[in-house]
Amino acid sequence: MALDGWKERLFRRYLYWLCRPARVRRRLAILAKGARKVPPVEGDCLHVAALQVQLELYKDPLDYVEAMHRRVREAAAMGAQLVAFPEYNNLALLGMLPGIQTMGEAASGGEQEVAAGTAGPAPSVADVVRYVGPVIAPLLHTLYSNLAVTYGLYLMAGSFLLPDEDNVVNRAFLYGPGGQLVGTQDKVHLTPMEVDWGIATDTDFHVFDTPAGKIATPVCMDATYFETFRILELKGAEMVIIPIANPEPYNHWLALRGIWPRVQECPVYGIKSALVGNLLGFTFTGRAGVFAPAELTVDGSGVLDIVTSSEEEGMAMAVLDLAALQELRRDHPWRDSNLTLYRRYFPQVYQSIP
């Protein structure tokens, strides 16, 4: 038993050594040599990129650093002033853990025991996150903060499964062009899978007022509900970024339960980033895209750009006209707004649900 404890402490020290921020900064300095910042945000137009990221497991976190840098560099080269990564954007770092695929099969309802030297019950996803989270959290902050500074853009780093005191949360991070953490948003509505994993929820949605506009970053399942976007619109949000990781085969009609109808119901711009690939016994699919109220799209479709494939890497890009959005809001022909009713009844209705 003492030997096992010694091995665990030694391995944890090794992980800290692999993920140390200084190592990340040195690699980024090499990768970003000669990098040019994108033009700063001016006026009412903003160039945005929604990334579709291929999920891979990396044994060395510097490989993850290189992959994320490549995606930001590509978006910046296209003029993106805001770049959005998908949900579960730190899962690739679980590749540092021996036997993670076997544990994943058990977590997804496959094998009930893990054979790693000796058989035993599979650790839960929350257990794995609690173990590795403190190691990778500084790496993630260093990476995405420095990428935002290097290219002078707003960076929604995606959402990460991380420990927070006694809980495990699914938390989105937004960085500004100065590298500052603009804000975070924990997922409010969980999938059944996340409930089984033991993920904790938030109870509020946040809007971040930036020189690029008013931005919100709810996570995946949060877009399934009308109220999410209505609350954010009433709080002043102009752009709602939804990072997703959908663990099922892609279905166009099921996808319509998410961001597209929300954008039509509550006039905002929608930016959806997507994780695709196989991990932990799941196959993730999606189509990253940029969406707008139908009145603000040339063809009336409500789609400014969308990735063609639901399984391969890609990027959707568009220019958002915030002045046009505000004009639409002022003169919208069928807006239904009764703030007195909302304030009187809605808090009691939703708080009474167990």
Side-chain angles (χ1 to χ4, degrees), residues 7 12 17 26 38 58 80 88 90 135 145 165 167 177 256 268 303 317 319 350:
K7 287 180 179 179
R12 196 174 181 84
W17 179 84
R26 283 196 296 269
V38 299
Y58 298 107
Y88 299 157
N90 61 335
V135 177
S145 173
E165 297 182 350
N167 294 321
L256 284 178
V268 295
V303 180
M317 295 198 66
V319 179
Y350 290 105

Side-chain angles (χ1 to χ4, degrees), residues 215-231:
I215 304 170
T217 62
V219 180
C220 196
M221 193 71 174
D222 291 335
T224 302
Y225 303 97
F226 162 82
E227 291 85 355
T228 297
F229 277 58
R230 187 65 174 130
I231 289 168

